[in-house]
Amino acid sequence: MALTLYWGSGSSFSWRVLLALEHKRLPYVSELLHFDKQEHQSPHMLKLNPRGRVPVLKDQDYVVFESLAVLYYLDLKYPDPPIFGLNPEEAGVIMRVICEFQAYAEPSLMNITEAVFTNQVQGRFEELSDAMHIVGREARTIEGRLSKETWIVGANYSAADMVIFPAIQLLRRALSKPQAAELGARFLPMEKNYPALARWIDRIENLPGYARTYPPHWRDAERTTPI
Amino acid sequence: MALTLYWGSGSSFSWRVLLALEHKRLPYVSELLHFDKQEHQSPHMLKLNPRGRVPVLKDQDYVVFESLAVLYYLDLKYPDPPIFGLNPEEAGVIMRVICEFQAYAEPSLMNITEAVFTNQVQGRFEELSDAMHIVGREARTIEGRLSKETWIVGANYSAADMVIFPAIQLLRRALSKPQAAELGARFLPMEKNYPALARWIDRIENLPGYARTYPPHWRDAERTTPI
């Protein structure tokens, strides 16, 4: 098989690429690396990406990493169905929405999820509340888009959805932890606070192949831990 | 004329787009906004981009912002000469190098330049030294690429050059200020510390149309202030 994806469970950047591969119905070898065993830092992986980060996509002898670059490469190499729009105008909006998300929402969102998963919410509550305020504002903009359209940009599921969806899922998971209850009070339940976003999540969760993209360690935790 | 670019003097993000427009030899109306008069926050500009940021490109009725999205749109709409490579493989590397620069170098680089221009170097010296260490490491990687090739990716001047060049110029300008002398000691002079990068800067400075992209207030300062 031509394509191999090296990825990690719970890495929102990896998840973007898995969504794209499934949407394009491309066959790929799935190489799930275990962060706890430092498999992403193995000599083999450092040879592919000296930064030791995932996702890394190998297409025969060609190697590409940085999730946005992987999505971009995949779309040029395997254009059907397109994930960067049907014309330059739509492509520009998709890329703009991705850039805005990465510049204005993601840093705060990642601070929050990291703090929750490393149990630092109490000590950094004020800073995280500010971050939550920023994330809430950006989420409202996306909510606005999704209250008018099925997908974030235009009539089709696109790279904008694939970039934003994993981060929202990560945030939702973080905010549902008991230690984040106060922080997430205005965000969860999404069905009430962000109904269009909630419906959009539901829509993506029902896409063919979605189960293969879902972080395996989240599923394991859901099987064994009552939340 | 179809294209109008709204931009600001010294905005490295604006500079990227100016370089692309000149390289593609596209005629455009240049709307230079004055940050000190808050022209980027005028009602007219906020209607084009609610965040009040530049660059903003208008192509007849179509509006796009976020510099990477503008470059991407321009390349799809006006593909000759291409700035995102000649094939999917090269395009993937160009986008990867851009993403790496934005993720790993730019935040530290922007911290440094902002601190220098607002005269905060003394009070934040340790933090800025750490940032300079990160920037130096990323610059060495680019130096490595440029010691083997004329341009950052592949045989042609590309979006990777256009994204990275303005930030390097901004950094060089910041580090040449007296208050940044110690911070910049291992970076400047670039001819000595980063000779391939210095030659690459020279190469871009000699491209046709370069003078039109150069921040006007830098030129004014150079005319009146002996550096």
Side-chain angles (χ1 to χ4, degrees):
Chain A
M1 211 179 293
L3 291 168
T4 302
L5 181 70
Y6 300 87
W7 62 290
S9 179
S11 148
S12 58
F13 305 109
S14 297
W15 202 347
R16 298 169 172 182
V17 178
L18 289 161
L19 292 170
L21 288 166
E22 292 294 338
H23 182 57
K24 288 180 174 286
R25 309 205 178 202
L26 292 166
Y28 60 97
V29 176
S30 166
E31 286 279 359
L32 174 62
L33 304 178
H34 292 89
F35 292 133
D36 52 348
K37 295 183 193 159
Q38 297 288 312
E39 288 178 354
H40 55 304
Q41 302 274 357
S42 71
H44 172 63
M45 288 312 300
L46 290 175
K47 216 169 140 184
L48 298 179
N49 176 1
R51 298 186 195 269
R53 289 178 180 252
V54 288
V56 174
L57 181 80
K58 212 164 165 291
D59 188 352
Q60 309 212 53
D61 289 338
Y62 177 73
V63 176
V64 60
F65 46 90
E66 292 295 313
S67 59
L68 183 57
V70 179
L71 295 182
Y72 181 53
Y73 166 76
L74 279 175
D75 203 45
L76 290 168
K77 188 82 177 184
Y78 308 100
D80 187 34
I83 59 173
F84 281 95
L86 303 176
N87 51 56
E89 288 74 14
E90 198 171 86
V93 180
I94 290 169
M95 191 62 87
R96 186 258 282 179
V97 169
I98 290 173
C99 290
E100 288 188 285
F101 182 78
Q102 296 195 147
Y104 310 119
E106 201 166 67
S108 297
L109 192 153
M110 287 299 176
N111 277 346
I112 294 164
T113 56
E114 205 200 319
V116 172
F117 294 134
T118 56
N119 246 316
Q120 295 183 55
V121 177
Q122 276 207 313
R124 294 169 55 191
F125 192 78
E126 204 170 328
E127 171 211 341
L128 297 173
S129 293
D130 290 348
M132 202 55 228
H133 183 77
I134 293 169
V135 169
R137 192 179 56 207
E138 297 297 326
R140 273 194 301 280
T141 303
I142 301 170
E143 174 77 12
R145 300 188 78 91
L146 289 170
S147 64
K148 282 174 282 185
E149 305 274 358
T150 309
W151 303 106
I152 289 183
V153 181
N156 300 297
Y157 179 48
S158 79
D161 302 287
M162 293 166 195
V163 164
I164 295 172
F165 172 84
I168 300 287
Q169 288 288 62
L170 194 66
L171 179 67
R172 199 167 67 147
R173 182 175 160 86
L175 295 180
S176 70
K177 301 281 177 191
Q179 69 266 34
E182 198 180 337
L183 208 56
R186 286 188 192 174
F187 197 84
L188 300 182
M190 290 187 71
E191 289 69 16
K192 176 173 158 272
N193 294 305
Y194 296 91
L197 261 164
R199 286 193 300 272
W200 167 79
I201 290 175
D202 213 50
R203 214 170 289 139
I204 296 179
E205 287 178 341
N206 281 294
L207 290 174
Y210 176 77
R212 279 188 293 272
T213 75
Y214 194 76
H217 84 276
W218 292 12
R219 188 178 294 118
D220 295 345
E222 285 151 21
R223 275 194 193 123
T224 54
T225 322
I227 295 183
Chain B
M1 211 178 293
L3 291 168
T4 302
L5 182 69
Y6 299 88
W7 60 291
S9 180
S11 148
S12 58
F13 304 109
S14 297
W15 203 347
R16 298 169 172 183
V17 178
L18 289 161
L19 292 170
L21 288 166
E22 292 294 337
H23 182 56
K24 288 180 175 285
R25 309 208 179 200
L26 292 167
Y28 60 97
V29 176
S30 165
E31 287 279 358
L32 174 62
L33 304 179
H34 292 89
F35 292 134
D36 52 348
K37 296 181 192 160
Q38 297 289 311
E39 289 178 353
H40 55 304
Q41 302 275 355
S42 71
H44 172 63
M45 288 312 300
L46 290 176
K47 216 169 138 184
L48 297 179
N49 176 359
R51 298 187 195 269
R53 291 179 179 250
V54 289
V56 174
L57 182 80
K58 212 165 163 294
D59 189 352
Q60 309 213 53
D61 289 337
Y62 179 72
V63 176
V64 60
F65 47 90
E66 292 295 313
S67 60
L68 182 58
V70 179
L71 296 182
Y72 180 54
Y73 166 76
L74 279 175
D75 204 45
L76 289 169
K77 187 82 177 183
Y78 307 101
D80 186 35
I83 60 172
F84 281 95
L86 304 175
N87 52 55
E89 288 75 15
E90 199 171 86
V93 180
I94 290 169
M95 191 62 86
R96 187 259 283 179
V97 170
I98 290 173
C99 290
E100 287 188 287
F101 181 77
Q102 297 196 146
Y104 310 119
E106 202 165 65
S108 298
L109 192 153
M110 288 298 175
N111 277 346
I112 294 164
T113 57
E114 203 200 320
V116 172
F117 294 134
T118 55
N119 247 315
Q120 296 183 54
V121 177
Q122 276 205 315
R124 295 168 53 191
F125 192 78
E126 202 169 328
E127 171 209 341
L128 297 173
S129 293
D130 290 349
M132 201 57 228
H133 183 77
I134 292 170
V135 169
R137 191 179 58 205
E138 297 296 328
R140 275 194 300 281
T141 303
I142 301 171
E143 173 77 12
R145 299 187 78 91
L146 288 170
S147 65
K148 282 175 282 184
E149 304 274 358
T150 308
W151 303 106
I152 289 183
V153 181
N156 300 296
Y157 179 48
S158 79
D161 302 286
M162 294 166 195
V163 164
I164 294 172
F165 172 84
I168 300 288
Q169 288 289 62
L170 193 67
L171 180 67
R172 198 166 69 146
R173 182 175 161 85
L175 294 179
S176 69
K177 302 281 176 191
Q179 68 267 35
E182 198 180 338
L183 208 57
R186 287 188 190 173
F187 196 84
L188 300 181
M190 289 187 71
E191 290 70 16
K192 176 172 157 275
N193 293 305
Y194 295 92
L197 261 164
R199 286 194 300 274
W200 167 79
I201 290 175
D202 214 50
R203 214 170 289 138
I204 295 178
E205 288 179 340
N206 282 293
L207 291 175
Y210 176 77
R212 279 188 292 273
T213 74
Y214 195 76
H217 84 276
W218 292 12
R219 187 178 295 119
D220 295 346
E222 285 151 21
R223 275 192 194 126
T224 54
T225 322
I227 295 181

